[in-house]
Amino acid sequence: MRRFPPDQGQHAGRPGGQPHGRALRPLRRVRGYIRSAPGTYLWLAALFVTTIAMHHMSPEFEAEFLRQRSTNIHELSTNPRRVLIASAFWIDGGGWLAYAVLYSVFHAQAERRLGTLRWLIVAFGTHVAATFISEGALLWAIRHDYAPHSAVNTLDVGVSYALAGVVAVLTYRIARPYRYLYLAAILVIYGAPLLSGRTFTDLGHFASVLIGLACYPLTRGLGGAPWNPADTLRTAGRKMGFSGARAKDRTP
């Protein structure tokens, strides 16, 4: 019986061979990354749907629609549960792509390192607590004539308080001494607007950072080494050097 030679397609770059498998590796990594943070990407998917819906609203309807889902003083005093949940699923301004990047960098990492339940406690707890702190400060300003009474209906929706809290809690998952540089950057980024603008939203963001830092007990007992940026850079350098050496060896 005649024996056929083994299929050379896998080594010659034919579809289905090793080169094709290498081309699919980035897609598998993306899929694995998304599956490792299901809460983050379900939330992001919901934000995508609501953002598309906003693009089909007239400006007048959109303003009134969001105001009814806003965590302003009026809505918090009448139906706090509804607006605290609803406001976390709308982005004022519709900048979904920017939040997709921020969610992937911060929320997904926090969910992967803390676990879905602890991440959700930090995110939603920060969203709720910072909302009451900022709106409480605004109510005080209204009562003491530092802000107009119409401010009780101020539009206040979005996910930035939860994001700021998660950004802050990630401090504890970074190795020393780099965590101190990270913490200093956070305090400057969120503290500078509070000193210059002093709006209730700036206060809410800075309060979110402090609340996120106060969630340190949730980061204990997780196991695993904190992320070390120096190790990441060394690993990336070795891979680049190895790839460069292989490319040089293939050069005729």
Side-chain angles (χ1 to χ4, degrees):
M1 178 182 295
R2 182 179 177 184
R3 296 179 179 273
F4 290 93
D7 185 9
Q8 301 297 322
Q10 293 184 348
H11 304 285
R14 277 173 41 186
Q18 292 179 358
H20 181 65
R22 285 196 295 269
L24 291 178
R25 286 177 188 171
L27 295 178
R28 295 193 188 104
R29 290 174 181 172
V30 170
R31 183 178 63 182
Y33 191 83
I34 292 174
R35 293 177 64 182
S36 69
T40 294
Y41 288 100
L42 285 173
W43 191 1
L44 196 57
L47 290 173
F48 178 78
V49 173
T50 57
T51 300
I52 295 298
M54 284 177 57
H55 286 307
H56 290 81
M57 299 177 185
S58 66
E60 296 78 11
F61 180 82
E62 177 185 325
E64 183 59 27
F65 181 86
L66 292 180
R67 188 169 287 107
Q68 293 176 5
R69 288 151 183 81
S70 173
T71 51
N72 55 43
I73 296 171
H74 173 71
E75 296 295 339
L76 283 173
S77 63
T78 56
N79 200 338
R81 292 182 183 178
R82 179 180 65 83
V83 295
L84 283 169
I85 295 174
S87 64
F89 290 94
W90 298 89
I91 301 173
D92 186 18
W96 184 85
L97 284 177
Y99 276 102
V101 174
L102 293 172
Y103 268 51
S104 297
V105 173
F106 296 107
H107 273 297
Q109 281 297 317
E111 185 177 1
R112 295 177 70 193
R113 293 174 181 272
L114 300 179
T116 299
L117 179 59
R118 295 188 187 195
W119 160 76
L120 188 59
I121 291 173
V122 174
F124 190 69
T126 301
H127 171 70
V128 172
T131 294
F132 279 111
I133 290 172
S134 61
E135 294 297 332
L138 180 60
L139 179 60
W140 180 90
I142 293 172
R143 288 179 175 176
H144 290 81
D145 296 326
Y146 291 109
H149 187 268
S150 60
V152 298
N153 291 310
T154 300
L155 181 62
D156 185 18
V157 296
V159 296
S160 58
Y161 289 170
L163 178 62
V166 166
V167 168
V169 80
L170 281 173
T171 300
Y172 304 115
R173 302 304 296 168
I174 299 175
R176 296 182 179 90
Y178 305 102
R179 72 170 55 172
Y180 304 119
L181 297 175
Y182 179 83
L183 176 59
I186 293 173
L187 294 176
V188 170
I189 291 171
Y190 287 101
L194 179 61
L195 295 176
S196 59
R198 287 182 283 186
T199 67
F200 78 95
T201 305
D202 296 329
L203 175 62
H205 286 139
F206 193 74
S208 298
V209 170
L210 298 182
I211 295 166
L213 293 173
C215 291
Y216 169 71
L218 293 174
T219 68
R220 301 181 63 181
L222 296 176
W227 176 58
N228 190 322
D231 290 344
T232 302
L233 290 174
R234 280 194 292 267
T235 301
R238 284 196 296 267
K239 288 182 177 180
M240 291 178 64
F242 179 69
S243 298
R246 291 182 59 184
K248 184 177 180 180
D249 293 341
R250 289 195 297 265
T251 304

